[in-house]
Amino acid sequence: MSLLSYLRLAAAYIKLNWRMQMEYKSAFASQFLAMVLNNSTWLAFWLIFFDRFPVVRGFGQADVVTLWAIASAGFGLSAACCFNLHNLAALIARGQLDTWMLYPRALVPHLALGKLSPTAMGDLAFGYGAYLLLVKPDLEHFLMYVFLTVAVAVLFTGFNLMRGSLAFFLGQAEVLSEQWFFSMITFSTYPSSLFDGWVKLVLFTLIPAGFVAGLPPEALKQLNWNMALLTGLGALAVLGFGSLCFALGLRSYQSGNLMEMRN
Amino acid sequence: MLKTAQKLIAVAKISARANLAYPGEVLGRGTFLLVVLYIFLKLWQATYSESGQSKLAGLSLAEMLWYLTITESMWMSAPKLAQQVDEDVRTGSLAVKLIRPLSYPLYCLSANMGERLVRFSFNLALGACIALALVGPIHLRAEALLMLALSVCLAFLLDGLGHLIVGLSAFWLEDTSGLYLIYTRLTMILGGMLIPLDLFPGWLKNLVVYLPFPYLVWGPVHLLSTPQAELAASFLELAIRQLACLVALSALVALLWQRALRRVSAHGG
């Protein structure tokens, strides 16, 4: 199948998921606003922190706003389109991939695109809102920001495939997958200049938060497209590795006789 | 009255024992605690070093990490009471729980307390090992620890009431997850979980002392760094503020519960 065909599939899923959310407008609005407020609270913490200590390891208020704008928009974009991957370990452990295997084309796109998260939409809106309103970028910075948020979204999608695929090999891997995710999110929202040595190596491999909190804010600060492209390459590598883990794991997937309805 | 107290203690005990049955989950939380405390250590190491001060908000770097270990252990020990109440309301399983010979809010509070105390003890033990490995021991006074234990219990009770308020709002709201998220984040930031209140800008500190959030986290843990001469007075002041919040939040829960009961409709089946 061509790339165009898959893009059409993605557009159809996004449209369908959006319509489903609009059936419960007030629930959607409350979750969307809550996530915007949640992220604003975190940003408020950092603003309080940097108000007291203006620069820590080269990071100041503007840098932390940029960091949060990239991390939340990138994560939001990934989860808004591919929310099912967020719970992949649970889906595998409960034999709930069966439903998605009945569709034509590859399994991952159907599975990933099958669900939209309202809170993720809040993350996405917060990221773009914070960047436009607080950083006030010029056109070139904004274009780079858009590129970086897409790259970070690709990275999170690959990371979710990677951690979720653990369930193929370990069976019950929900707790481990969750802790891995929390570690990734936590490292992604703190200035990466705080870490050095072997931790830096971990942040570009096992917990690839360096491609969220390390390279992207620096690329925007210096308007360095090489760094931005490196982020994109890192994201593609994580997506590739995640897809490989999923493909290898799928060979050992065992179905059950459970009757399932997709939701 | 005595019978009700016995029932509440029994519910708390059962809930605590149920939580002791999942050591794997505890270990999982420990991994995250290690990550968080390591990040905090790096952040505050850089902050102390660049500010050129050996003490911030009256705390040395080691004391700051121990402060954060206790606040994080408290935070991570919170059971998902609000979501459970929300689910009971939405699925109708509340009707079954109403049959029990114990008020539903009191049942929730005591079960929450039992579960939370177990989780907190585990988290604290794990966190203490991590803090010891990262920064070594700090000087702790027995009377301050005792006061901390008492005020932590009151803080957990207050937080349980906060969760109940959020959960019971499911009777009127289509979805309470947003409200839950806001409540927990306010507790995290305004409660002083990530940064002691003494480092807040003056105007914000003056404002938040009139809210219940600081008494859920910062107040109890702050006792550990309070000078010996002021300890008793600080504890008394904290206890009065916590009790005042307890009365206000209990009244609000009672009011919500009274109104909510009018909206309950149960069917056979």
Side-chain angles (χ1 to χ4, degrees):
Chain A
M1 289 283 176
S2 69
L3 178 68
L4 194 69
S5 164
Y6 275 105
L7 286 175
R8 274 202 215 108
L9 178 76
Y13 261 118
I14 291 168
K15 204 168 145 186
L16 185 72
N17 287 333
W18 177 255
R19 280 187 184 160
M20 271 167 69
Q21 292 297 331
M22 286 304 103
E23 283 297 312
Y24 305 96
K25 283 193 183 71
S26 59
F28 176 86
S30 99
Q31 288 182 52
F32 176 91
L33 281 174
M35 190 44 80
V36 172
L37 278 169
N38 168 54
N39 291 349
S40 306
T41 321
W42 271 105
L43 202 56
F45 156 71
W46 279 112
L47 296 181
I48 291 169
F49 184 88
F50 282 110
D51 181 59
R52 188 77 169 71
F53 312 104
V55 180
V56 174
R57 289 276 171 96
F59 244 73
Q61 280 190 344
D63 302 301
V64 90
V65 172
T66 306
L67 166 63
W68 267 82
I70 291 168
S72 63
F75 171 76
L77 186 58
S78 168
C81 300
C82 308
F83 191 62
N84 259 340
L85 294 185
H86 203 74
N87 303 315
L88 185 58
L91 291 175
I92 294 167
R94 289 170 202 155
Q96 289 175 332
L97 292 192
D98 299 15
T99 329
W100 302 97
M101 287 175 160
L102 301 173
Y103 291 91
R105 309 188 207 205
L107 170 62
V108 173
H110 274 296
L111 173 69
L113 293 163
K115 209 168 189 177
L116 179 148
S117 153
T119 54
M121 298 291 287
D123 277 318
L124 182 60
F126 169 84
Y128 273 80
Y131 194 66
L132 288 171
L133 296 174
L134 300 176
V135 180
K136 299 187 177 79
D138 56 29
L139 184 66
E140 197 174 354
H141 275 92
F142 182 67
L143 289 176
M144 185 185 277
Y145 172 75
V146 173
F147 173 80
L148 288 168
T149 53
V150 173
V152 170
V154 170
L155 179 98
F156 270 111
T157 307
F159 176 73
N160 284 338
L161 269 172
M162 205 159 79
R163 70 181 177 95
S165 298
L166 274 178
F168 285 127
F169 307 101
L170 302 178
Q172 286 294 340
E174 282 174 65
V175 173
L176 189 59
S177 167
E178 202 178 48
Q179 297 303 318
W180 199 2
F181 170 72
F182 284 148
S183 303
M184 171 75 178
I185 288 290
T186 313
F187 275 113
S188 298
T189 48
Y190 279 81
S192 71
S193 56
L194 292 172
F195 313 107
D196 41 33
W198 62 271
V199 179
K200 203 114 194 172
L201 183 70
V202 170
L203 293 184
F204 283 97
T205 49
L206 192 62
I207 305 172
F211 292 108
V212 184
L215 286 175
E218 207 51 43
L220 275 169
K221 200 173 182 177
Q222 299 174 19
L223 201 64
N224 185 331
W225 277 99
N226 286 338
M227 276 188 178
L229 287 173
L230 212 58
T231 306
L233 285 175
L236 285 175
V238 173
L239 181 67
F241 188 69
S243 306
L244 182 70
C245 291
F246 186 86
L248 288 175
L250 194 60
R251 290 182 192 171
S252 57
Y253 174 69
Q254 289 179 338
S255 176
N257 60 356
L258 188 70
M259 292 290 285
E260 280 289 343
M261 291 262 296
R262 56 162 289 196
N263 54 31
Chain B
M1 187 76 177
L2 190 69
K3 266 195 168 179
T4 309
Q6 280 172 339
K7 282 178 200 168
L8 291 174
I9 291 167
V11 169
K13 270 186 183 169
I14 292 166
S15 177
R17 277 170 63 184
N19 264 274
L20 285 168
Y22 301 104
E25 197 195 327
V26 173
L27 206 68
R29 282 200 299 269
T31 321
F32 184 56
L33 197 58
L34 175 66
V35 170
V36 169
L37 290 180
Y38 176 75
I39 292 176
F40 283 158
L41 174 69
K42 287 291 171 186
L43 175 67
W44 287 101
Q45 248 174 0
T47 309
Y48 275 83
S49 139
E50 294 192 17
S51 69
Q53 293 177 41
S54 61
K55 286 204 168 198
L56 292 171
L59 303 171
S60 65
L61 176 62
E63 287 167 339
M64 181 65 86
L65 197 79
W66 276 92
Y67 170 90
L68 294 166
T69 302
I70 302 172
T71 59
E72 195 66 35
S73 303
M74 288 173 76
W75 168 259
M76 284 175 64
S77 65
K80 292 177 176 174
L81 175 61
Q83 283 122 308
Q84 189 213 310
V85 175
D86 175 281
E87 203 180 309
D88 285 347
V89 173
R90 235 164 267 290
T91 59
S93 57
L94 177 71
V96 179
K97 292 181 178 172
L98 285 176
I99 303 167
R100 289 182 178 152
L102 187 64
S103 145
Y104 178 74
L106 282 179
Y107 166 80
C108 287
L109 277 178
S110 50
N112 177 67
M113 198 66 177
E115 190 174 346
R116 192 156 192 184
L117 285 175
V118 168
R119 282 169 165 232
F120 175 63
S121 309
F122 270 115
N123 287 344
L124 192 62
L126 273 169
C129 293
I130 297 166
L132 271 174
L134 294 175
V135 291
I138 56 165
H139 174 66
L140 295 168
R141 289 157 295 160
E143 60 272 36
L145 282 174
L146 183 68
M147 289 173 187
L148 170 78
L150 290 171
S151 52
V152 160
C153 289
L154 276 175
F156 287 168
L157 211 52
L158 273 177
D159 195 34
L161 287 166
H163 276 252
L164 263 178
I165 291 167
V166 173
L168 287 175
S169 61
F171 276 100
W172 296 274
L173 300 175
E174 204 173 287
D175 182 88
T176 61
S177 60
L179 199 58
Y180 173 73
L181 207 57
I182 294 167
Y183 170 75
T184 50
R185 291 307 174 264
L186 284 177
T187 309
M188 190 188 254
I189 305 293
L190 300 183
M193 192 200 96
L194 296 166
I195 182 167
L197 247 63
D198 295 319
L199 293 175
F200 279 21
W203 64 269
L204 188 59
K205 191 183 171 189
N206 292 337
L207 183 75
V208 295
V209 291
Y210 293 105
L211 300 172
F213 302 108
Y215 313 118
L216 299 178
V217 188
W218 174 79
V221 190
H222 181 63
L223 289 171
L224 287 183
S225 57
T226 305
Q228 184 67 29
E230 300 162 24
L231 188 60
S234 293
F235 172 67
L236 195 66
E237 190 188 341
L238 174 65
I240 290 169
R241 285 174 190 262
Q242 282 183 318
L243 287 171
C245 291
L246 204 66
V247 170
L249 292 183
S250 301
L252 188 54
V253 168
L255 184 73
L256 283 176
W257 180 237
Q258 202 181 26
R259 297 267 165 106
L261 274 177
R262 291 182 203 154
R263 299 171 76 101
V264 174
S265 56
H267 305 277

